[in-house]
């Protein structure tokens, strides 16, 4: 086993804020622990944070001192953080320079809205029922993008390097199952309400589609196998709950008692709406403007509350892939 004096780690799609450094802290401390267990001196570690150029890197860099404080004592002064703005569907780093690549909850976002969605006029994403051609457009874009991602990382990663990816997926093989849409169907319904009220132009809704695709397990594995640069070391499916979060009092989730009162139900639904808003708001603002956002998510809460009973116990599906 080699113990290089410098290890380069990249987090692709790092976002900004305190969560940016959660995984990087674990990675760095794991590296140091491994060296210690083998009686090796700790290496220097180059931590590269990547996201799109309009990501708030300034806020992220202000958190570097607190990141260093949480590291093991004997790594202080040997851990360096840098930003690498750009799309991870392009080359980002020099050839054969990375020892470890991490990406969490990013690869279900496509490089662009797929072509051929002209008939998807009332929805922001796939929705049942819809023509199979719409699904094919999304699937083909995912295959092209994920293949490109793997090819770029193969050029950048050292022969002994490793990669760990987490992305949103789906359990059912039917891509048009109602279980696949959840949040985005609620956004579609909310926008349709605003169209009927004259707040949003119908043409604006018809021209808006999300650059998003949640694949099933076979689709992920097929792309990895066909691209050929990496072998799957581990593939895990992680199930979560659509309505689940921790409050100051307890954890409220979708398998709670049926007699949950309306105030608690509203609390759960509102939390879910805020989560969806944190993910999709920049795209909505860019297309519709920011004046509609508060009203849109009021509608979202209303529709989520009405569908609460049908959405309960519908698990979210995430894939963890080690390459």
């Amino acid at each position: 086993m080699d113990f290089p004096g410098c290890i380069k780690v990249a987090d692709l799609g790092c976002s900004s804020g305190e969560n940016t450094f959660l995984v990087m802290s674990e990675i760095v401390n794991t590296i140091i622990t491994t060296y210690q267990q083998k009686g090796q001196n700790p290496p220097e570690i180059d931590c590269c944070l990547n996201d799109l150029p309009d990501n708030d890197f300034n806020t992220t860099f202000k958190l570097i001192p607190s990141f260093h404080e949480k590291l093991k004592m004997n790594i202080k002064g040997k851990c360096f953080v840098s930003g690498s703005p750009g799309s991870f569907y392009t080359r980002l780093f020099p050839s054969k320079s990375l020892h470890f690549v991490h990406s969490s909850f990013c690869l279900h976002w496509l490089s662009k809205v797929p072509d051929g969605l002209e008939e998807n006029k009332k929805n922001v994403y796939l929705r049942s029922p819809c023509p199979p051609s719409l699904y094919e457009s999304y699937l083909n874009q995912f295959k092209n993008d994920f293949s490109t991602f793997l090819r770029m990382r193969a050029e950048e990663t050292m022969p002994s390097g490793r990669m760990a990816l987490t992305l949103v997926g789906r359990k059912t093989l039917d891509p048009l199952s109602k279980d696949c849409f959840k949040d985005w169907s609620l956004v579609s319904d909310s926008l349709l309400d605003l169209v009927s009220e004259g707040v949003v132009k119908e043409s604006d809704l018809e021209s808006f589609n999300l650059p998003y695709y949640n694949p099933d397990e076979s689709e992920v594995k097929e792309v990895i196998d066909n691209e050929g640069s990496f072998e799957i070391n581990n593939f895990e499916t992680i199930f979560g709950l659509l309505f689940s979060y921790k409050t100051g009092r307890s954890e409220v989730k979708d398998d709670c008692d049926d007699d949950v009162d309306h105030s608690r139900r509203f609390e759960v639904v509102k939390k879910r709406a805020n989560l969806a808003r944190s993910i999709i708001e920049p795209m909505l603002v860019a297309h519709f403007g920011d004046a509609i956002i508060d009203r849109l998510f009021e509608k979202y809460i209303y529709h989520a509350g009405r569908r609460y009973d049908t959405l309960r116990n519908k698990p979210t599906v995430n894939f963890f892939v080690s390459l």
Side-chain angles (χ1 to χ4, degrees):
M1 180 178 179
D2 293 331
F3 291 91
C6 179
I7 290 184
K8 190 167 185 175
V9 178
D11 187 1
L12 307 185
C14 67
S15 189
S16 62
E18 294 184 1
N19 287 346
T20 298
F21 288 104
L22 287 177
V23 174
M24 189 61 78
S25 297
E26 290 295 322
I27 293 171
V28 170
N29 284 326
T30 298
I31 292 171
I32 299 310
T33 298
T34 301
Y35 271 65
Q36 290 175 332
Q37 291 175 345
K38 299 297 182 179
Q40 302 292 321
N41 293 324
E44 294 183 327
I45 302 178
D46 186 5
C47 302
C48 304
L49 304 177
N50 156 260
D51 214 310
L52 295 173
D54 58 357
N55 183 57
D56 189 357
F57 284 100
N58 286 336
T59 294
T60 298
F61 292 154
K62 290 177 182 178
L63 297 171
I64 291 176
S66 62
F67 163 65
H68 281 148
E69 290 177 2
K70 296 176 182 178
L71 298 179
K72 290 182 177 293
M73 290 298 297
N74 56 359
I75 194 58
K76 289 185 177 180
K78 292 188 175 183
C79 184
F80 307 92
V81 179
S82 62
S84 300
S87 169
F88 50 53
Y89 294 120
T90 64
R91 278 289 303 272
L92 295 166
F93 305 101
S95 298
K96 309 303 178 186
S97 63
L98 300 178
H99 293 84
F100 185 75
V101 176
H102 169 263
S103 182
S104 180
F105 295 104
C106 297
L107 285 167
H108 44 272
W109 291 109
L110 305 174
S111 65
K112 66 171 189 174
V113 174
D115 298 325
L117 302 184
E118 293 78 12
E119 299 303 315
N120 200 35
K121 294 183 177 181
K122 304 297 183 182
N123 305 303
V124 303
Y125 183 54
L126 295 171
R127 187 171 187 172
S128 181
C130 72
S133 60
L134 296 182
Y135 155 68
E136 292 294 337
S137 295
Y138 271 100
L139 175 60
N140 289 336
Q141 187 66 48
F142 170 76
K143 287 182 175 180
N144 291 336
D145 283 346
F146 192 27
S147 294
T148 298
F149 175 90
L150 294 171
R151 186 170 66 254
M152 298 299 99
R153 303 296 81 76
E155 295 178 15
E156 297 167 347
T157 306
M158 300 182 68
S160 59
R162 293 291 183 267
M163 188 155 57
L165 312 174
T166 304
L167 66 158
V168 175
R170 69 176 193 270
K171 180 181 180 181
T172 176
L173 296 179
D174 177 9
L176 301 182
S177 166
K178 293 181 180 179
D179 290 346
C180 296
F181 313 121
K182 297 171 182 168
D183 290 309
W184 309 143
S185 294
L186 296 172
V187 172
S188 296
D189 290 340
S190 302
L191 284 168
L192 284 169
D193 284 350
L194 297 186
V195 169
S196 68
E197 295 173 6
V199 177
V200 170
K201 293 180 180 179
E202 186 173 7
S203 59
D204 286 345
L205 172 57
E206 292 178 351
S207 61
F208 180 75
N209 289 281
L210 288 173
Y212 170 96
Y213 183 73
N214 54 333
D216 67 34
E217 180 177 338
S218 65
E219 292 168 348
V220 175
K221 290 181 175 179
E222 178 185 351
V223 175
I224 296 172
D225 291 341
N226 289 343
E227 197 281 326
S229 297
F230 296 91
E231 294 183 356
I232 298 175
N233 295 319
N234 186 34
F235 195 111
E236 297 181 21
T237 301
I238 305 168
F239 295 99
L241 295 171
L242 179 59
F243 289 120
S244 175
Y245 77 100
K246 290 184 182 295
T247 68
R249 301 184 304 277
S250 61
E251 184 175 10
V252 182
K253 54 187 179 181
D254 61 355
D255 60 353
C256 57
D257 294 336
D258 290 335
D259 62 354
V260 60
D261 60 57
H262 291 292
S263 62
R264 295 289 292 279
R265 177 180 294 199
F266 177 80
E267 192 177 6
V268 173
V269 170
K270 185 177 180 181
K271 186 71 174 181
R272 187 66 197 185
N274 288 338
L275 176 59
R277 180 171 179 169
S278 70
I279 295 170
I280 197 177
E281 182 172 0
M283 288 176 278
L284 292 170
V285 169
H287 190 82
F288 299 100
D290 58 6
I292 73 161
I293 299 301
D294 288 343
R295 194 164 180 178
L296 172 64
F297 282 96
E298 289 173 2
K299 299 289 187 181
Y300 182 105
I301 292 171
Y302 167 75
H303 286 290
R306 290 190 64 188
R307 296 172 58 187
Y308 182 89
D309 289 333
T310 60
L311 290 170
R312 293 177 68 207
N313 303 317
K314 299 294 185 183
T316 59
V317 178
N318 302 316
F319 298 138
F320 173 77
V321 189
S322 174
L323 302 172

